[in-house]
Amino acid sequence: MKSCMECTPALRAKFSVFAFFSLLVLGGCSDPATLGLELAPENNQIGVFYKEIPLDAKVVLLDSFNTTNAGILIVGDEEDPYFGKTRSTAYTRLHIESGSERPKSEAILDSVFFNLAAVSVNGTNLDQKKKYSVHLLTKPLEDTLYYNFSKLPYQANAMAELEVTFKDTKDTLLKARLNSVLASEIFAKLKKGNEFDNVFSFRKYLPGVAIVPRAGDNTTTGFSLGGNTGITFHYHIAGDTTKLTYKITTFSSRSFNGIESDRSGTPTAVVRDYKKSYSTGAVVGMKSGLGLAIRLDTSPLDAFLDTIKGVVFNQVTLQMGPIEEPAKGQSPISGMVMKFIDSQNRVLLSSINKAELHVQGDGQIQVIEDEKGNKVPNNFFPSSALINFETTSKLQRAGISSYMNALYKKELQRKDWLLYAITPTTGDDFKRSLRQFKVNKDKVVLTVIYSKTK
């Protein structure tokens, strides 16, 4: 077998390229400064290069966004040295099935519970008790849109409350015993009152509920809407051992999540106006529910692309992190897209159908033709590039090689990006949680591997 010195120049070049990629994959200890040098410079066919491009990151408080019918009730109270105090209260109507059999006048009430179907838990000290209370609204939900800053008044005294120790359990059915006086009153009307004759009379009598967290619990829980969240009456008929139930649910019920934020005394206290970019020091962060997003300045790409000719981008990755270690029991934001924005942090829309424009994923079509044959950015949301959280490395990463090639070929015009917590599979996390992450600004970079023919 020939030694490396006896190999042909082309073969030596192949060994050099292989060694380069092996170092990248295995995390070799060579000086990063040398990675910008061409490999196998004696070869006249191909050169492989590595470049890191830092991107400046700022935070943007999104304008009020619609949380109506988000599909999940978010209830939480959190405190963080960067984000401050954040609190989410869930508001929802109640629902009765039209034509369902009501308890007869001779029915005897056994017990009444307000059930909460927990489907997600994100918090600290989950081996300690967390408390939730349910309150009757004093003003009903209307057939209008509600936003993350919206709120409704509710009775000070809870109609039901409970404490729960989650530990490792993320989905469970919680049962809070209803106030006995109110339970007896509702059951009496359920048997023979006209309050349950139709949905309009019912909503006038029971306008809805607010589900409220306890201050200081530093935990957020998501409760599902539907047949498992609502009031369940357990009763029987005298002389009959059959156990009967009647349910008032949250199925098909209008709902929204209202967020309160106190950022005083924190790095994000400077963030006051919607859609304005703010620097928060050495750290930048993002928090769902609150609507605190990250803007990335991609202008360094212009200077970089102007210095190269005849290249192909083999691997381009947006990399943020390692992020700050989340507290035990908390999961960071784990899925984001990159929205194209203008200088005022307004999301750019497609000229074809006014859909929001996103960076498209690797292997996806980056540009399409409009009805006039003009090339415009692809507006297909399901093929957007996704920033995913890698739990082992603690990195937020997304591959954007195809986007960079399109940018280099001038098929696309460079735009800045707004990072937003949403994916085609999990939905809009900004409306469905209070998850967050923080990262040092100097850990936000594009890593670029490209090659060229001499």
Side-chain angles (χ1 to χ4, degrees):
M1 182 176 179
K2 294 182 178 181
S3 68
C4 185
M5 295 300 296
E6 296 174 314
C7 293
T8 64
L11 188 56
R12 286 200 300 273
K14 290 181 180 179
F15 274 119
S16 299
V17 173
F18 175 80
F20 172 75
F21 281 101
S22 298
L23 283 173
L24 288 177
V25 173
L26 298 176
C29 57
S30 58
D31 183 356
T34 67
L35 293 178
L37 301 177
E38 180 183 355
L39 298 185
E42 76 281 5
N43 185 270
N44 293 325
Q45 298 300 316
I46 189 171
V48 178
F49 301 80
Y50 177 85
K51 177 75 173 179
E52 285 191 0
I53 305 175
L55 300 181
D56 185 50
K58 288 185 168 67
V59 298
V60 177
L61 183 63
L62 301 182
D63 199 355
S64 52
F65 57 88
N66 176 15
T67 64
T68 309
N69 297 339
I72 192 169
L73 304 173
I74 299 301
V75 185
D77 187 276
E78 300 183 0
E79 186 168 359
D80 181 271
Y82 179 83
F83 297 106
K85 298 178 181 179
T86 309
R87 183 179 180 88
S88 178
T89 300
Y91 303 84
T92 181
R93 284 174 176 169
L94 298 172
H95 173 78
I96 54 173
E97 288 291 343
S98 177
S100 60
E101 185 177 355
R102 293 160 57 176
K104 296 180 173 59
S105 58
E106 63 269 23
I108 300 172
L109 182 62
D110 296 322
S111 60
V112 187
F113 293 92
F114 198 105
N115 299 323
L116 294 166
V119 293
S120 64
V121 181
N122 200 54
T124 60
N125 300 318
L126 296 181
D127 57 345
Q128 299 178 10
K129 290 182 177 181
K130 311 300 179 181
K131 186 176 181 180
Y132 303 93
S133 56
V134 184
H135 302 252
L136 275 175
L137 297 179
T138 57
K139 180 181 178 182
L141 278 78
E142 299 177 352
D143 293 330
T144 186
L145 295 180
Y146 290 92
Y147 297 85
N148 61 326
F149 62 82
S150 300
K151 62 175 65 177
L152 289 173
Y154 53 83
Q155 294 181 1
N157 294 327
M159 62 185 290
E161 57 187 10
L162 62 86
E163 288 186 323
V164 58
T165 303
F166 288 108
K167 293 186 179 180
D168 295 327
T169 302
K170 302 298 183 181
D171 55 337
T172 185
L173 184 64
L174 309 181
K175 300 176 68 175
R177 190 175 292 275
L178 211 67
N179 173 282
S180 59
V181 175
L182 180 61
S184 297
E185 176 195 315
I186 298 176
F187 192 67
K189 294 182 182 297
L190 180 58
K191 290 194 294 183
K192 51 188 177 183
N194 57 16
E195 288 83 358
F196 287 81
D197 286 348
N198 56 68
V199 68
F200 302 105
S201 298
F202 169 71
R203 287 179 184 169
K204 185 176 181 180
Y205 174 54
L206 294 177
V209 297
I211 307 172
V212 182
R214 179 170 61 186
D217 275 353
N218 212 34
T219 295
T220 298
T221 302
F223 300 110
S224 67
L225 290 157
N228 291 325
T229 294
I231 307 172
T232 300
F233 295 85
H234 299 272
Y235 66 96
H236 70 279
I237 305 299
D240 190 340
T241 59
T242 304
K243 296 180 179 179
L244 304 171
T245 60
Y246 181 90
K247 286 188 174 185
I248 299 174
T249 70
T250 51
F251 182 76
S252 301
S253 294
R254 195 171 194 81
S255 66
F256 72 93
N257 300 311
I259 310 297
E260 299 172 81
S261 173
D262 179 4
R263 299 185 293 277
S264 58
T266 73
T268 54
V270 298
V271 182
R272 297 186 180 90
D273 298 328
Y274 291 123
K275 288 190 175 181
K276 184 177 178 181
S277 302
Y278 290 91
S279 175
T280 57
V283 174
V284 65
M286 186 168 177
K287 190 171 182 68
S288 294
L290 175 58
L292 201 65
I294 293 176
R295 176 196 176 98
L296 295 184
D297 178 4
T298 64
S299 59
L301 292 180
D302 290 338
F304 169 62
L305 294 176
D306 286 344
T307 63
I308 55 178
K309 293 183 179 180
V311 308
V312 174
F313 294 97
N314 307 312
Q315 180 178 307
V316 182
T317 305
L318 171 63
Q319 178 174 298
M320 297 184 290
I323 68 169
E324 183 177 305
E325 183 72 25
K328 184 179 179 181
Q330 288 186 327
S331 299
I333 291 172
S334 57
M336 293 173 278
V337 297
M338 293 161 273
K339 298 185 178 185
F340 292 131
I341 53 174
D342 63 14
S343 60
Q344 303 300 312
N345 293 317
R346 293 173 297 201
V347 178
L348 301 179
L349 305 180
S350 169
S351 59
I352 297 177
N353 60 0
K354 303 303 179 182
E356 292 185 340
L357 294 175
H358 307 77
V359 175
Q360 296 293 298
D362 277 347
Q364 304 297 327
I365 297 172
Q366 301 295 309
V367 294
I368 56 177
E369 290 188 355
D370 62 16
E371 59 184 10
K372 297 181 179 179
N374 299 315
K375 287 187 175 182
V376 296
N378 186 7
N379 58 10
F380 190 49
F381 173 68
S383 60
S384 299
L386 296 182
I387 304 172
N388 294 308
F389 178 63
E390 300 175 0
T391 55
T392 301
S393 62
K394 306 299 181 186
L395 295 174
Q396 300 274 14
R397 298 182 54 162
I400 56 169
S401 308
S402 298
Y403 166 77
M404 186 70 92
N405 277 306
L407 198 63
Y408 176 67
K409 296 174 184 176
K410 300 188 183 305
E411 295 175 341
L412 290 173
Q413 184 179 359
R414 181 197 60 79
K415 299 295 181 182
D416 289 340
W417 305 331
L418 181 77
L419 309 188
Y420 190 96
I422 189 174
T423 74
T425 54
T426 60
D428 193 335
D429 192 61
F430 261 35
K431 298 180 181 180
R432 296 167 59 89
S433 84
L434 293 183
R435 290 190 178 191
Q436 63 186 47
F437 76 90
K438 293 169 281 185
V439 64
N440 286 345
K441 287 179 65 174
D442 60 3
K443 298 296 184 182
V444 181
V445 298
L446 284 181
T447 61
V448 183
I449 300 171
Y450 62 100
S451 58
K452 66 179 181 179
T453 301
K454 289 186 176 180

